[in-house]
Amino acid sequence: VQLQASGGGLVQAGGSLRVSCAASGRTFSSYDMGWFRQVPGKERDFVAAISASGTTTYYADSVKGRFTISRDNTKNTVYLLMNSLKPEDTAVYYCAASPSPRPSYLFTATESYDYWGLGTLVTVSS
């Protein structure tokens, strides 16, 4: 599966932004999806994940209550809605995919994802 993230940009602190990840192929609904982010010089960190069916979601503590992950399997797209953005949310955001089903502990593990898209830069100004 090929992934293409989009929707990044510059936003003021407190604002909102939605990033999208479009997947190729006809089996999108059989993949668990995740969002990760990375700043220069640091490791890529887990942000949010969603099961193939969309019924189960996972969030990093740092974004819980502010970010919402969702997916539309009819459009082969996963979304990350980011509200109440903070300057520390500034990063390149990557989407990732891995065939379902998987144990729940793997959803937050960067190394467990098989496919990655190019990232989209989100910059939050103070």
Side-chain angles (χ1 to χ4, degrees):
V1 61
Q2 292 184 323
L3 306 172
Q4 179 64 56
S6 62
L10 175 64
V11 62
Q12 288 189 332
S16 298
L17 196 66
R18 189 181 77 165
V19 292
S20 303
C21 176
S24 64
R26 293 175 288 180
T27 59
F28 176 73
S29 61
S30 65
Y31 286 86
D32 299 325
M33 301 295 296
W35 283 99
F36 294 78
R37 64 187 182 187
Q38 188 171 24
V39 297
K42 294 191 176 182
E43 294 185 349
R44 191 169 296 185
D45 292 330
F46 168 75
V47 175
I50 189 167
S51 62
S53 64
T55 56
T56 306
T57 57
Y58 304 84
Y59 295 94
D61 288 342
S62 59
V63 307
K64 202 171 293 183
R66 300 188 298 122
F67 290 11
T68 303
I69 189 171
S70 62
R71 66 189 296 160
D72 186 339
N73 286 346
T74 67
K75 296 182 178 179
N76 285 10
T77 302
V78 62
Y79 306 96
L80 184 68
L81 174 61
M82 302 179 287
N83 294 322
S84 302
L85 281 161
K86 305 174 181 180
E88 51 263 43
D89 294 318
T90 295
V92 176
Y93 283 72
Y94 297 90
C95 59
S98 191
S100 182
R102 302 185 301 156
S104 59
Y105 71 89
L106 289 180
F107 277 81
T108 62
T110 309
E111 65 275 11
S112 74
Y113 286 81
D114 298 309
Y115 304 96
W116 292 84
L118 297 178
T120 185
L121 176 63
V122 173
T123 303
V124 183
S125 63
S126 56

